[in-house]
Amino acid sequence: MKSKFELEHFEVLPKHVGVIMDGNGRWAKNRGLERSEGHKAGANVFRTICEYACDLGIECITFYAFSTENWARPEMEIKGIMSLLRSYLLEALDRKKENEEKGMRIKFVGDVSRVDKDLQKMIKIIEKQSAGKTRTVVNIAVNYGGKQEILRSVKEIAKGIERGNLSADDVTEELIEKNLYTPDFPSCDLIIRPSGEYRLSNFLTWQSAYSEFWFSDILWPDFTVENFNEALRAYEKRNRRFGGI
Ligand code: IPE
Ligand code: IPE
Ligand code: MG
């Protein structure tokens, strides 16, 4: 399928990219707009980067859309974000064929049992209908927290021990990984965080153990395909040693 983008060539591509979509509120404030306008603009950038990553052939990309801590925000703002999620889900259902042609698999990571029932239903359908696609996995992190993800995995394992199916010696890194939201995905190679913050904010805690980082002052709604290329170029030059020499 022909891409609408001019695709750059990279010698090395990260297998798994994590993107912290931050800065929507400040972007809106700078323009004298409501925060919701920032989220709307940010959602459109998500669509663009998602498509571009897929056209480039990135194996897996995880977008941080809503954290377990984001429930602390005013109800109105949360409602606005959920309504943007609803629009995206409806669109994804509608774009079934295009996404299929692109080979895009859409998955959700996080505890989605806390979002509205209609959203949960759509999430299930979308995950099911794209399950066989293998070009790019797009993970959307909703009500996601890295610590909570590890806790959930540990609890699952503890249940196995309680039932007598497992012993303490069976608990390995692989077993913990098997019980994360991302069991079949590679660990995160590159984490992109715009908005001038230098932190993970509870994103991919386990998977980022050996990630490379790319930070920038750009606010997410201003983030472009060129910025994404910049991050990938920076990654290309990194010397990953994993403790070796
Ligand atoms: C990221 O933008 C979106 C979510 C966390 C849902 P913010 O809303 O955090 O934007 P800033 O950080 O306030 O600018
Ligand atoms: C991280 O951004 C979460 C998402 C982008 C979904 P936040 O704006 O919530 O992070 P903090 O509060 O600045 O750490
Ligand atoms: Mg923020």
Side-chain angles (χ1 to χ4, degrees):
M1 197 179 174
K2 212 182 155 330
S3 174
K4 71 178 188 203
F5 303 101
E6 218 171 283
L7 297 177
E8 294 225 353
H9 173 74
F10 295 92
E11 291 301 325
V12 225
L13 270 182
K15 283 201 170 108
H16 183 179
V17 181
V19 185
I20 303 178
M21 305 189 283
D22 195 20
N24 296 348
R26 279 163 282 173
W27 181 89
K29 194 171 173 225
N30 291 345
R31 285 169 173 70
L33 301 169
E34 296 289 332
R35 291 178 63 86
S36 60
E37 291 300 320
H39 293 312
K40 206 188 279 176
N44 287 332
V45 173
F46 155 73
R47 287 174 171 89
T48 305
I49 301 301
C50 186
E51 197 177 337
Y52 182 65
C54 189
D55 290 358
L56 271 185
I58 287 183
E59 237 176 77
C60 180
I61 183 159
T62 303
F63 291 94
Y64 205 5
F66 193 85
S67 75
T68 43
E69 287 70 37
N70 288 146
W71 296 106
R73 297 191 178 203
E75 208 183 314
M76 271 294 284
E77 178 163 347
I78 296 173
K79 269 202 176 136
I81 294 169
M82 291 303 157
S83 120
L84 286 169
L85 176 60
R86 182 171 287 108
S87 309
Y88 173 73
L89 292 169
L90 286 166
E91 189 185 299
L93 287 171
D94 213 40
R95 283 175 57 96
K96 179 173 182 269
K97 199 161 163 274
E98 286 98 316
N99 287 348
E100 248 173 30
E101 278 170 12
K102 277 196 179 291
M104 191 193 286
R105 176 174 169 202
I106 304 174
K107 275 229 13 127
F108 287 79
V109 294
D111 179 9
V112 292
S113 72
R114 202 172 156 184
V115 304
D116 289 351
K117 285 274 176 310
D118 67 316
L119 299 184
Q120 289 183 43
K121 253 189 214 155
M122 288 195 274
I123 285 173
K124 262 203 193 124
I125 300 172
I126 290 164
E127 284 188 333
K128 201 167 160 207
Q129 77 187 11
S130 70
K133 302 299 151 220
T134 50
R135 185 174 170 84
T136 298
V137 185
V138 174
N139 289 314
I140 304 173
V142 174
N143 191 21
Y144 173 88
K147 280 174 141 187
Q148 291 81 349
E149 180 182 33
I150 295 170
L151 179 65
R152 181 176 164 270
S153 168
V154 169
K155 278 191 176 168
E156 279 307 310
I157 295 168
K159 279 185 210 161
I161 295 176
E162 257 176 15
R163 283 189 220 107
N165 301 335
L166 283 173
S167 74
D169 284 340
D170 295 325
V171 184
T172 57
E173 284 183 27
E174 288 72 29
L175 189 63
I176 294 175
E177 269 162 23
K178 220 177 124 199
N179 286 284
L180 297 177
Y181 290 118
T182 55
D184 4 307
F185 309 139
S187 61
C188 197
D189 297 307
L190 170 67
I191 291 186
I192 296 177
R193 179 157 197 167
S195 94
E197 310 294 356
Y198 299 85
R199 53 177 173 260
L200 272 174
S201 302
N202 208 8
F203 186 51
L204 300 180
T205 309
W206 177 280
Q207 299 85 341
S208 65
Y210 252 111
S211 296
E212 298 292 329
F213 290 87
W214 189 83
F215 294 107
S216 146
D217 287 339
I218 301 154
L219 301 172
W220 178 251
D222 288 328
F223 192 90
T224 61
V225 161
E226 286 68 40
N227 298 135
F228 193 68
N229 284 334
E230 242 180 275
L232 294 177
R233 287 272 169 248
Y235 177 81
E236 225 177 8
K237 296 195 195 85
R238 301 281 169 93
N239 182 1
R240 303 186 80 194
R241 286 186 288 275
F242 298 101
I245 53 170

